[in-house]
Amino acid sequence: MKVAFLASEVIPYAKTGGLADVAGALPKVLAGLGAEVRAFMPLYREVRKKKIPLTPVIERAELEMGGEKLAYAVFSHRADGVTVYFIDRPEYFDRDCLYGTAAGDYPDNGERFAFFSRASIETMRAMRYSPDIVHGHDWQSALVFAYLRYVYAGDAFFARTRTLFTIHNLAYQGLFDDELLDRIGLPASLFNMNELEFYGKVNALKAGILYATAVTTVSPRYSREIQTPAFGCGLDGLLRSRSAVLYGILNGVDYRDWNPATDHLIPRNYVPEDLTGKITCRKELAALFGLAAPTTLPVAGMVTRLAGQKGLDIVCEALQDLLGLGLTLVILGTGDQKIQDFLLEAQEKNPTRIGLKIAFDERIAHTIYAGSDIFLIPSRYEPCGLTQMYAMKYGTIPVVRATGGLDDSVQEFDPQVGNGNGFKFVEAEPEPLVEAAGRAGALFKKPIDWRKLVRNAMAADFSWERSASAYLDLYKKLAAS
Ligand code: ADP
Ligand code: GLC
């Protein structure tokens, strides 16, 4: 099974969120199951800065787009059975950020990621790598399906290739002016509502939903939610029309990177049978943020994009009541300026009760997973969510809104029976969040019950093997179709 895997971010090379974790881990597990996976991503400045030894694959090639010849090169790096190919065009990718700055998205994102998609296809041809499956992720890779359908349709090289599109987040669709199609070498006739047009704009994500042989999303519940108007972001009708080939496969965790027993980024390691290391991590976390953090009351962590999706506005509204419960809050995140300002002000007023760092920092993130007692995820929607799974492995109890992958991965703890691994609430409102955090706080005062809950959470197994087999089965089914 030969799989070409296109993603706009892949760990350890570049990351802004969960897509990178998935695109880094899944190919390796697939390779372990016998698939030959070659991954493609842009050569960003962030990758260059890491000084990873890259092997030149194509020194110079040209792609004609919009009447212009655009030069690029291709480099590769191989690790754990997977080769990653980097599309190098400095004009497009040698920039401070992946998608845009605090001031907004880069205005040429349409051209940038169309170029990435098309250059990836050309690289496959140049390497004589004829994939059984092209598996693209999110809008940044979705135009690959339009190219395969309309530009490479008669190309014998891809005659046997089947395609899979994975939606990690339906809300980010890649919307651009209609002139984009011409500039990126796609037929202008695709600008109609049955193809790529969406309320007067070109919608890159639609290319994935319409033209891929099958579509997946990252949890079973989200695959159902996106077919409803409430979660469909205007595309629920289109998704319903593809429901026969729309699947939900829950993401997994790479426990080589996320395991308190072996994690090099946390102050002290620990195992479920002996949590003394976790107590040290909690102390170090409190010291790092200058928090009082009394041991009788829980420390509540958050590691998150500060975006509407993640329900930060609900946290802001609930803040006084959460403090009223006696919680200590520790938040690490970047994003929305208004949310940052609100949290910074609250932190200044409550310096020993609220820890806040506006940054993207892997080490602090791991320390929060390890040093907190509970983990808040009040998302308005959540395609899968990885942070609840990471928190559980570190014995940190998730308090989540019952939506998408959060609902699929967290079960409310039942102290009577001793089942469950977290706390859930349904309405995206401050009060239910405070109530759920209150249930966690009350149980925290009962050490025997709490201990049982922590054990359950640490024993929950979200390793990739099961999900990777589901992808492999789907690849086989598509390849045979
Ligand atoms: P999303 O992809 O929607 O942001 P996920 O839960 O799938 O949400 O994944 C988020 C990933 O990004 C996790 O690996 C999390 O630890 C990481 N992350 C988010 N914000 C930060 C941050 N400020 N610093 C470090 N890691 C972060
Ligand atoms: C997206 C989603 C998140 C998911 C991640 C990886 O960023 O917001 O829920 O876990 O992709 O699939």
Side-chain angles (χ1 to χ4, degrees):
M1 178 62 61
K2 289 197 274 180
V3 185
F5 204 91
L6 271 70
S8 59
E9 49 185 90
V10 181
I11 54 146
Y13 309 104
K15 164 168 171 175
T16 71
L19 169 61
D21 292 7
V22 173
L26 177 56
K28 290 178 190 167
V29 185
L30 286 167
L33 294 173
E36 184 196 342
V37 187
R38 300 196 189 185
F40 295 81
M41 69 174 285
L43 184 55
Y44 302 108
R45 181 172 300 170
E46 190 175 326
V47 182
R48 285 174 198 279
K49 278 205 248 166
K50 297 214 161 86
K51 303 252 182 272
I52 296 163
L54 301 180
T55 308
V57 177
I58 298 176
E59 271 177 33
R60 191 190 148 86
E62 273 180 354
L63 199 61
E64 201 182 309
M65 267 190 11
E68 257 187 280
K69 287 206 164 122
L70 306 180
Y72 65 102
V74 182
F75 292 85
S76 73
H77 182 250
R78 190 169 168 82
D80 298 323
V82 177
T83 305
V84 179
Y85 294 87
F86 298 91
I87 305 297
D88 180 26
R89 180 168 161 78
E91 291 87 331
Y92 280 159
F93 303 120
D94 190 12
R95 300 184 186 178
D96 282 339
C97 301
L98 272 54
Y99 312 125
T101 63
D105 287 349
Y106 293 129
D108 59 349
N109 274 350
E111 286 88 338
R112 294 173 77 219
F113 290 100
F115 183 87
F116 159 62
S117 299
R118 183 115 188 234
S120 299
I121 297 177
E122 286 297 329
T123 305
M124 292 171 213
R125 295 178 92 251
M127 297 189 300
R128 311 298 310 149
Y129 182 69
S130 177
D132 298 298
I133 301 289
V134 170
H135 186 176
H137 299 261
D138 275 354
W139 78 261
Q140 292 91 339
S141 306
L143 290 168
V144 78
F145 305 106
Y147 285 124
L148 288 172
R149 168 76 62 108
Y150 287 104
V151 178
Y152 296 85
D155 189 335
F157 192 76
F158 293 108
R160 286 185 46 251
T161 301
R162 300 293 177 268
T163 55
L164 179 62
F165 179 51
T166 296
I167 301 170
H168 295 259
N169 198 328
L170 187 68
Y172 298 84
Q173 301 183 352
L175 300 180
F176 306 100
D177 290 339
D178 57 348
E179 303 93 71
L180 179 77
L181 293 176
D182 195 39
R183 282 206 298 277
I184 63 175
L186 284 173
S189 61
L190 296 183
F191 195 70
N192 74 77
M193 62 179 277
N194 295 319
E195 307 255 10
L196 299 186
E197 195 240 349
F198 185 73
Y199 299 103
K201 295 276 185 189
V202 172
N203 184 321
L205 192 94
K206 268 184 102 179
I209 301 174
L210 276 167
Y211 307 139
T213 322
V215 179
T216 62
T217 185
V218 287
S219 70
R221 175 153 174 179
Y222 192 61
S223 75
R224 298 188 296 274
E225 287 173 340
I226 56 176
Q227 299 182 57
T228 68
F231 290 89
C233 301
L235 293 172
D236 46 293
L238 178 61
L239 287 158
R240 282 195 300 278
S241 77
R242 300 232 64 202
S243 64
V245 289
L246 172 60
Y247 307 88
I249 302 177
L250 195 72
N251 285 332
V253 174
D254 188 340
Y255 288 119
R256 284 172 306 179
D257 292 338
W258 300 98
N259 183 349
T262 52
D263 191 332
H264 298 302
L265 296 174
I266 60 175
R268 212 175 128 194
N269 293 118
Y270 55 92
V271 292
E273 301 72 41
D274 179 2
L275 295 174
T276 42
K278 185 165 175 67
I279 297 169
T280 308
C281 292
R282 192 187 197 273
K283 280 189 195 145
E284 296 277 329
L285 178 67
L288 184 66
F289 283 89
L291 300 165
T295 51
T296 48
L297 294 163
V299 170
M302 294 188 82
V303 176
T304 182
R305 288 185 288 117
L306 303 177
Q309 170 191 351
K310 301 293 180 180
L312 265 300
D313 53 322
I314 305 174
V315 174
C316 292
E317 264 190 75
L319 199 64
Q320 284 315 319
D321 291 337
L322 292 172
L323 294 177
L325 290 174
L327 298 187
T328 300
L329 281 171
V330 186
I331 304 175
L332 170 69
T334 53
D336 191 291
Q337 191 65 47
K338 262 204 273 180
I339 298 171
Q340 284 188 30
D341 293 345
F342 182 95
L343 292 174
L344 281 165
E345 199 184 317
Q347 195 272 332
E348 272 168 28
K349 284 190 193 142
N350 305 275
T352 62
R353 302 287 309 283
I354 301 177
L356 176 66
K357 182 104 182 144
I358 305 295
F360 197 94
D361 188 306
E362 207 67 55
R363 182 178 292 275
I364 299 178
H366 282 242
T367 306
I368 294 177
Y369 289 114
S372 305
D373 303 301
I374 66 177
F375 203 85
L376 304 183
I377 317 177
S379 304
R380 291 189 177 277
Y381 71 93
E382 196 60 76
C384 177
L386 297 169
T387 64
Q388 77 280 13
M389 302 184 189
Y390 299 157
M392 282 189 231
K393 184 68 181 176
Y394 288 76
T396 299
I397 303 307
V399 176
V400 307
R401 177 150 183 261
T403 185
L406 296 172
D407 197 36
D408 286 339
S409 57
V410 177
Q411 283 87 46
E412 175 85 18
F413 183 68
D414 179 348
Q416 249 57 50
V417 194
N419 283 345
N421 50 25
F423 298 92
K424 293 205 269 199
F425 61 97
V426 175
E427 296 302 328
E429 301 287 343
E431 213 172 284
L433 164 64
V434 175
E435 271 169 25
R439 290 200 297 282
L443 201 85
F444 190 72
K445 297 199 176 93
K446 300 180 180 166
I448 295 172
D449 286 344
W450 189 258
R451 188 63 219 220
K452 171 73 185 144
L453 170 56
V454 168
R455 273 177 188 265
N456 289 357
M458 292 182 87
D461 183 4
F462 299 103
S463 49
W464 262 110
E465 277 63 24
R466 194 181 320 140
S467 303
S469 310
Y471 278 108
L472 196 57
D473 289 346
L474 185 54
Y475 293 159
K476 286 181 185 154
K477 193 167 136 184
L478 298 178
S481 71

